[in-house]
Amino acid sequence: MGLFATLLIIMLVVMADVILFDKDRKRWGWMKGWTNGQKALFFASFIAVSFIIYFVISAKYI
């Protein structure tokens, strides 16, 4: 349950940053010319890598 909650929190934080908090496009503006498919692939990869890093760091406690 803890791993699922972590994945959910990472996904929500990344999506909130892109959709809600970055109104001026200062952090994510470099992706302006990308298609929706490229953005989805990037964010899926970003979330997967974040989850893998979290899992590897906390593996000895699981």
Side-chain angles (χ1 to χ4, degrees), residues 2 4 6-7 11 14 16 18 20 23 25-27 35-38 40-42 48 51-55 57 59:
F4 179 72
T6 302
L7 179 61
M11 287 174 33
V14 171
V18 172
L20 298 175
K23 294 295 183 186
R25 299 286 181 227
K26 291 184 179 180
R27 285 185 298 275
T35 64
N36 286 339
Q38 290 172 325
L41 182 63
F42 173 79
F51 182 71
I52 290 169
I53 290 170
Y54 174 80
F55 183 75
I57 290 173

Side-chain angles (χ1 to χ4, degrees), residues 14-61:
V14 171
M15 295 311 294
D17 185 46
V18 172
I19 295 170
L20 298 175
F21 302 128
D22 192 23
K23 294 295 183 186
D24 298 332
R25 299 286 181 227
K26 291 184 179 180
R27 285 185 298 275
W28 300 102
W30 52 274
M31 295 182 359
K32 189 173 15 178
W34 290 19
T35 64
N36 286 339
Q38 290 172 325
K39 289 178 185 178
L41 182 63
F42 173 79
F43 286 118
S45 302
F46 184 82
I47 290 169
V49 168
S50 298
F51 182 71
I52 290 169
I53 290 170
Y54 174 80
F55 183 75
V56 167
I57 290 173
S58 65
K60 68 179 180 178
Y61 301 111

